[in-house]
Amino acid sequence: MAIETIAHPELQDDVLTLGNRTFNSRLIIGTGKYDSFDIMQKCHEASGAEIVTVALRRINFDNKNEKNLLDYINIKKYTLLPNTAGCYTAEDAIRVARLSRELGFSELLKLEVLGDEKTLMPDPIATLEAAKILIKENFFVMPYISDDPIMCKKLQEIGCPVIMPIGSPIGSGQGILNRTNLQIILEQAKVPVIVDAGVGTASDAAIAMEMGADAVLLNTAVACAKDPLKMAFAMRYALEAGRLAYLAGRIPKKLYATASSPIKDF
Amino acid sequence: MNQVDIDKGFPIMKITVNDKDIEIFEGSNITSLLAQLGIPSGRVVVERNNAEIISRSKFEEVILNEGDRLEVLNFVGGGLESNLRRI
């Protein structure tokens, strides 16, 4: 079955720009936690995503039959976004970033410096330190960061071309916990804002997009859904619905009713 | 090329790859090491002694020394599950 992944006609010219690259999809999808690479590949296609995140790991050369992730990602179609997952210090993240770039796929980098194993929340100070150094080394630094307007501002000030505040903790599926903060972040942002982490289901992604986020990055919500393929489609439609709603402009919220039908002259 | 001693065979040296002890011929380069380990060289990056990143274009050129500690890495799915604190 060929999967139709063309965006809604109203969104054909609505592109996400990251540096000198443009994307028709505003969904960035992960490659972890899938039951198999085959399912992952189908989900990527169904989601319409054009950017996929990848992690760096030691090769296990005792297991010759281990499948290679890159056999399941068409690098002509997808842009790889290497991450620094699992790094707890700026130094480690910088090292992983340099090694990842050496693999020669892109200068894009999801900078992730974790502060704590239980929450997996970012270490904002180490993230800022690492970002400063990596920007000087011409990486396109996309920092995973708390939903803190001040940190997001500081990361922009030091030259991050994108900011990626969390909706809620990684893999928690709690959606966007602090919409007020996200709204402030979106209002003050001069660079694209990508909501990274916390999406549990389609409505969470739609809300992020309705609020004006430029993109959403997710993995667990699709990979660990009961039916990952259905959820991948759901995310694609949610992203498009949310983006269309944002562009359409929502009505203001009011405390009292406003009649839809004429109430005079009948 | 070193002189081959018929009785001893080719001179061997020990290095460490991803924390495992490996024996290779003296004077081996990265390409021959990867071939010995059965790792396709197209999609890996190599780091030597926690400091030097060896790019693919240098795999032929860089000669390994006794006691070198190498990390051979590639891209995997994930994610936190591919914990990197050990590298």
Side-chain angles (χ1 to χ4, degrees), chain A residues 60-68:
Chain A
N60 177 7
F61 49 84
D62 287 336
N63 181 5
K64 298 267 193 294
N65 296 321
E66 199 175 56
K67 290 177 174 171
N68 191 316

Side-chain angles (χ1 to χ4, degrees), chain A residues 17-63:
Chain A
T17 304
L18 299 178
N20 53 10
R21 298 160 197 260
T22 57
F23 302 94
N24 288 107
S25 167
R26 291 175 178 272
L27 177 60
I28 301 175
I29 199 156
T31 49
K33 300 183 186 169
Y34 284 95
D35 283 345
S36 74
F37 282 145
D38 285 319
I39 295 172
M40 178 198 80
Q41 198 173 32
K42 288 194 177 82
C43 288
H44 285 174
E45 200 180 339
S47 74
E50 294 164 319
I51 306 173
V52 297
T53 60
V54 293
L56 192 70
R57 199 190 65 187
R58 279 175 160 179
I59 280 191
N60 177 7
F61 49 84
D62 287 336
N63 181 5

Side-chain angles (χ1 to χ4, degrees), chain A residues 74-95:
Chain A
N74 177 357
I75 55 166
K76 286 181 185 148
K77 186 175 166 193
Y78 297 99
T79 297
L80 298 188
L81 173 56
N83 63 33
T84 60
C87 292
Y88 283 81
T89 64
E91 198 187 11
D92 272 357
I94 291 165
R95 183 175 171 210

Side-chain angles (χ1 to χ4, degrees), chain A residues 31-33 53-59 61-62 64 68-71 82-83 85-86 88 95-96 98-100 102-103 105 112 114 117 120 170, chain B residues 17-20 22 37-39 43-47 50 53-56 71-87:
Chain A
T31 49
K33 300 183 186 169
T53 60
V54 293
L56 192 70
R57 199 190 65 187
R58 279 175 160 179
I59 280 191
F61 49 84
D62 287 336
K64 298 267 193 294
N68 191 316
L69 172 73
L70 296 183
D71 289 332
N83 63 33
Y88 283 81
R95 183 175 171 210
V96 171
R98 288 173 180 159
L99 286 161
S100 294
E102 207 54 49
L103 276 160
F105 291 98
E112 185 175 317
L114 301 171
E117 270 187 52
L120 298 178
I170 293 175
Chain B
V17 182
N18 294 357
D19 276 348
K20 287 206 164 124
I22 306 279
L37 296 173
I39 299 168
R43 290 163 174 174
V44 298
V45 59
V46 177
E47 187 191 50
N50 287 340
I53 296 175
I54 303 169
S55 64
R56 217 149 42 225
E71 295 285 352
V72 181
L73 309 134
N74 68 349
F75 281 142
V76 295
L80 286 156
E81 53 278 20
S82 42
N83 196 322
L84 290 167
R85 269 171 296 165
R86 286 175 56 244
I87 77 159

Side-chain angles (χ1 to χ4, degrees), chain A residues 238-255:
Chain A
L239 264 283
E240 291 192 9
R243 180 65 182 173
L244 281 168
Y246 169 73
L247 295 173
R250 61 154 301 148
I251 59 162
K253 287 183 185 176
K254 290 178 191 165
L255 189 55

